[in-house]
Amino acid sequence: MINLFYMEGLPVAVMGLGKSGLATAEALSESGAEVWVWDDNAASRAAALDKGYKVVDLTTADLSELTTIVWSPGIPHTHPAPHPVALRARAANIELVCDIELLARSERDSAYIGITGTNGKSTTTTLIGHVMDAAGRRIAVGGNLGTPALTFPSMGAGGSYVLEMSSYQLELTYSITFDVAVLLNITPDHLARHGGMDGYVAAKKLVFHRQTRPRTAVIGVDDPHCRAIYDELKAKGDQVIWPVSALGPVPGGVYAEGGWLIDDTQGDAERVADLATFPALLGTHNRQNAAAAYAACKAAGVPAPAIVAAMTTFPGLAHRQQLVRTIDGVRFVNDSKATNADATEKALATFDPIYWILGGQAKETGLDGLEAYAPRVRHAFLIGEASDRFAAWLEANKVPHTRCGTLDVAVNASAELALAEALPGACVLLSPACASWDQFANFEKRGEAFADAVNRLEGNSEPGERA
């Protein structure tokens, strides 16, 4: 746990008592601070009280003793309407920061790698951590990825923090200057929280805050917003800038072309890896993730051969296009994290032919937007509450399908058909396009159940493929 030595004896408030909020309260308490906590949820307040924390109603209390409120990034503090506590804090000249800001103030000698973007940041963060660890670096990986920043060990000089940064966190983090900053892509998201697209783009751009040479900016240039940021930073020339692309050559950067990962950071367009040797990084979107992770790790000083060797052993992000097992040439892929059609689209674009397991508790949009991928689906296997609704969509799009009801039945039925047909490139894909709550506590439990069912199947696994 991080020692927040500079907070000793000071009153500090924590607003929001989720996972990171509780970790912040614990770190502050262990560091000798006087900790006030508050959450709008009564059950969260009661749980904090049971843990011995001082629960103070920040909506009415005298805040004059405070200089800092550690703010949960998920609580609005500007748009669409600021929380009343944020208004009170700003009127009293009290700073609002998130837990990562406290980490930065405490661990000044460590190196920082920050990763943001609308899509792909969790995979890229995890991949960078995997490579850095394989290269023998002392690292801690987390942030928006799920591990609260203040639960990290102290890295000190020679250590690195690899942090997935949301737009919300970037707005509340002021002291970090990332040694390597990665911006993958920007598409419309969270617009209400940022007052529109301009505000969202501005928040993402904060990952490059105060960077100067030799610090490095790694920027995906496959969308117009990121391309504009790249052009702006390139014109200023304050930091080293490496563009990355999944779509083809970018001079002076790292890109995918013709199935190869190409490193042109030294101007020699060297082929460094056959992308087919990265089994957990399939699909166009993962080409960008691979290029960005390669560039980030190279900027952090990891030799290119070590980066490539580590990327070949990357297991993938759990429950996101995660290869569970290959049986007699048929891949079984866990994409349980795909809880809506937009997420499922990435998986459907990656595999062909597909034996598709889908269903659960449907979102409002259902399967809208996936029509173009219907020809890739050899057969669909329906589970859960959405079966009737999804069956109608499958019939309209001429996709053969079977109502299976439960996941274990769907795994057995899809495996039987896929193995019998033995088509080249076949994939049994769990990509539900639904929430899991009709049959599972969360998407993680659903993915674990899929993996368990797949691992019970008989057949010859390819070496190293069985999870």
Side-chain angles (χ1 to χ4, degrees):
M1 179 165 288
I2 299 299
N3 183 2
L4 305 172
F5 55 90
Y6 55 91
M7 291 291 195
E8 185 176 359
L10 297 177
V12 185
V14 177
M15 176 66 188
L17 296 173
K19 192 175 179 181
S20 64
L22 289 173
T24 299
E26 183 178 359
L28 287 166
S29 295
E30 291 292 324
S31 301
E34 178 188 342
V35 185
W36 303 1
V37 302
W38 183 253
D39 194 293
D40 291 334
N41 182 276
S44 297
R45 298 197 299 268
L49 197 62
D50 287 344
K51 291 178 181 291
Y53 292 117
K54 182 180 180 180
V55 177
V56 177
D57 186 349
L58 300 179
T59 65
T60 59
D62 179 3
L63 305 182
S64 60
E65 292 183 53
L66 298 175
T67 59
T68 302
I69 297 178
V70 186
W71 195 264
S72 169
I75 302 173
H77 57 92
T78 52
H79 303 287
H83 191 282
V85 174
L87 293 174
R88 297 191 75 219
R90 291 195 168 114
N93 201 30
I94 299 168
E95 66 172 359
L96 302 183
V97 301
C98 72
D99 58 338
I100 293 174
E101 173 64 13
L102 300 189
L103 170 70
R105 294 179 184 182
S106 180
E107 294 291 311
R108 296 182 181 274
D109 295 331
S110 301
Y112 290 88
I113 301 174
I115 302 94
T116 196
T118 305
N119 299 301
K121 54 187 178 291
S122 294
T123 296
T124 303
T125 302
T126 306
L127 177 55
I128 291 170
H130 176 79
V131 172
M132 296 282 283
D133 181 65
R137 301 297 185 91
R138 288 194 298 110
I139 60 163
V141 183
N144 191 60
L145 187 63
T147 303
L150 297 181
T151 63
F152 291 151
S154 174
M155 289 289 107
S160 300
Y161 293 101
V162 181
L163 302 174
E164 178 185 325
M165 299 292 295
S166 71
S167 55
Y168 302 163
Q169 290 169 321
L170 286 166
E171 286 188 325
L172 295 167
T173 304
Y174 310 105
S175 296
I176 287 180
T177 302
F178 287 108
D179 298 277
V180 181
V182 179
L183 173 59
L184 294 165
N185 47 62
I186 298 178
T187 56
D189 200 13
H190 308 304
L191 300 190
R193 268 296 302 269
H194 295 289
M197 193 66 189
D198 288 347
Y200 180 54
V201 171
K204 289 297 191 187
K205 188 178 169 184
L206 289 171
V207 76
F208 305 117
H209 178 58
R210 298 190 308 191
Q211 273 197 317
T212 55
R213 292 177 182 271
R215 297 180 179 92
T216 302
V218 175
I219 308 178
V221 294
D222 292 338
D223 67 84
H225 298 292
C226 287
R227 168 62 79 168
I229 292 172
Y230 168 77
D231 289 341
E232 178 187 343
L233 296 184
K234 188 72 173 176
K236 290 181 179 178
D238 290 338
Q239 68 270 78
V240 177
I241 303 176
W242 289 348
V244 298
S245 175
L247 304 178
V250 283
V254 180
Y255 55 91
E257 183 183 39
W260 287 87
L261 187 66
I262 312 293
D263 179 356
D264 192 45
T265 57
Q266 307 304 313
D268 52 6
E270 180 185 1
R271 286 184 173 186
V272 292
D274 179 349
L275 289 165
T277 63
F278 303 157
L281 296 168
L282 302 173
T284 300
H285 63 293
N286 272 323
R287 293 176 195 163
Q288 185 187 55
N289 297 338
Y294 174 93
C297 292
K298 183 174 180 179
V302 181
I307 299 173
V308 172
M311 289 171 73
T312 63
T313 64
F314 179 57
L317 200 64
H319 313 295
R320 182 172 294 172
Q321 291 189 34
Q322 181 183 24
L323 181 63
V324 174
R325 189 179 174 192
T326 300
I327 303 175
D328 296 331
V330 176
R331 290 172 291 181
F332 290 77
V333 174
N334 169 17
D335 194 39
S336 182
K337 192 171 173 62
T339 58
N340 57 46
D342 287 343
T344 290
E345 180 183 15
K346 293 179 174 59
L348 295 180
T350 300
F351 304 101
D352 187 12
I354 298 167
Y355 298 81
W356 184 17
I357 300 175
L358 72 161
Q361 195 171 90
K363 303 292 180 69
E364 289 183 6
T365 55
L367 300 177
D368 293 350
L370 300 181
E371 291 79 8
Y373 301 99
R376 291 173 173 252
V377 180
R378 184 75 177 174
H379 200 99
F381 301 84
L382 291 161
I383 63 172
E385 287 180 7
S387 292
D388 289 345
R389 180 179 174 183
F390 283 8
W393 186 95
L394 292 165
E395 288 168 6
N397 287 278
K398 299 181 173 56
V399 177
H401 54 278
T402 302
R403 293 171 185 257
C404 296
T406 59
L407 183 56
D408 56 339
V409 173
V411 169
N412 290 334
S414 59
E416 182 178 3
L417 182 58
L419 292 168
E421 293 188 339
L423 298 175
C427 175
V428 171
L429 173 68
L430 170 67
S431 192
C434 281
S436 60
W437 300 316
D438 57 334
Q439 295 182 336
F440 298 94
N442 49 51
F443 73 80
E444 292 95 341
K445 293 296 184 185
R446 178 171 61 191
E448 291 166 5
F450 174 77
D452 288 344
V454 169
N455 282 331
R456 287 194 297 269
L457 295 171
E458 296 182 359
N460 298 316
S461 294
E462 294 181 8
E465 296 291 357
R466 185 165 185 156

